[in-house]
Amino acid sequence: MRGSTVADSSPRYLLKLSGEALAGPQGFGHDAATMKRIAGEIAECANTGAQMAVVVGGGNIIRGARMAADGGDRVAGDHMGMLGTLINGIAMREAIREAGAASNLFSGFPAPTMCETFSQRAVLASLEAGEVVVLAGGTGSPFFTTDTGATLRAAEIGADAILKATQVDGVYSADPKTDPSATRYATISLDEALAKGLQVMDTAALALARDNALPIIVFSIHQPGALGSVVAGEDVGSRITP
């Protein structure tokens, strides 16, 4: 539960950012211009008073599930994926600092020479001190996606909403890249999203959001200024309601 301090009166958001978003047009690794733009928008939101936590994926480096699909060990693949998110977390922390906001990095698994290990109390203290918190390492365990990890962290820190930055501008009835008849939902409930099998987040993440009454706002990471508009309360993207 949120407390009653002045800091707790600020809106608190959990931004889920895919690894692919950091790759920009090159499709892998880190694109400097894309990183600078995204970090600048996050820093701007933080500097206007919003408490910002950012969960980063690792798909621009490696996907553990793909390794398993190719016949490799799933646990080993997921461990590699978690390391990929840590690389992205370090890069994002530094980009946010360069953009003019204080930032701290926490990992779901111990990496003491690089960052702090996640704990609810430490992360809340960092948020209330005005820092942008970057959360890497997923849940710290294999078999969980970074979407599920993001929803878990949002519940743990008492976020007001999950902001899901995607490749499209909201939630569609089908993939708009392959189905021209796909329609965008302005608002849809978590129960409906689960029943329709919409590919917004994995089923575990959506169920966890529903059980913790966490709204999810889905918007395009490719639209400059969209994050700030979402945080300002403007009608951007799609809203998935508890």
Side-chain angles (χ1 to χ4, degrees), residues 46-140:
N47 289 334
T48 60
Q51 294 183 15
M52 301 295 297
V54 184
V55 167
V56 289
N60 57 320
I61 298 173
I62 189 170
R63 285 188 176 276
R66 185 172 300 163
M67 178 178 173
D70 292 338
D73 180 72
R74 174 62 187 270
V75 173
D78 282 356
H79 285 164
M80 293 166 69
M82 286 188 275
L83 288 169
T85 70
L86 184 57
I87 292 171
N88 285 340
I90 293 170
M92 182 52 64
R93 178 195 63 194
E94 295 307 301
I96 292 168
R97 287 177 176 176
E98 290 174 10
S103 183
N104 202 358
L105 172 65
F106 295 85
S107 171
F109 60 87
T113 60
M114 299 180 190
C115 63
E116 295 185 52
T117 303
F118 175 88
S119 76
Q120 182 197 48
R121 287 184 295 178
V123 168
L124 291 177
S126 187
L127 287 168
E128 290 165 6
E131 296 178 331
V132 176
V133 169
V134 181
L135 303 171
T139 64

Side-chain angles (χ1 to χ4, degrees), residues 211-234:
D211 293 346
N212 288 275
L214 279 166
I216 303 170
I217 302 172
V218 182
F219 68 99
S220 173
I221 192 60
H222 301 298
Q223 181 182 341
L227 175 60
S229 296
V230 171
V231 169
E234 297 177 21

Side-chain angles (χ1 to χ4, degrees), residues 12 23 42 56 78 82 108 125 127 131 141 143 146 180 192 194 202 208 221:
R12 182 178 296 162
I42 294 170
V56 289
D78 282 356
M82 286 188 275
L127 287 168
E131 296 178 331
S141 298
F143 298 102
T146 51
E192 288 178 288
L194 282 163
D202 61 80
L208 187 59
I221 192 60

Side-chain angles (χ1 to χ4, degrees), residues 17 21-22 24-25 31-44 92 95-96 99 166 219-227:
L17 195 60
L22 307 183
D31 179 71
T34 301
M35 289 279 292
K36 183 176 182 179
R37 177 182 66 80
I38 294 173
E41 293 186 17
I42 294 170
E44 185 176 347
M92 182 52 64
I96 292 168
T166 68
F219 68 99
S220 173
I221 192 60
H222 301 298
Q223 181 182 341
L227 175 60

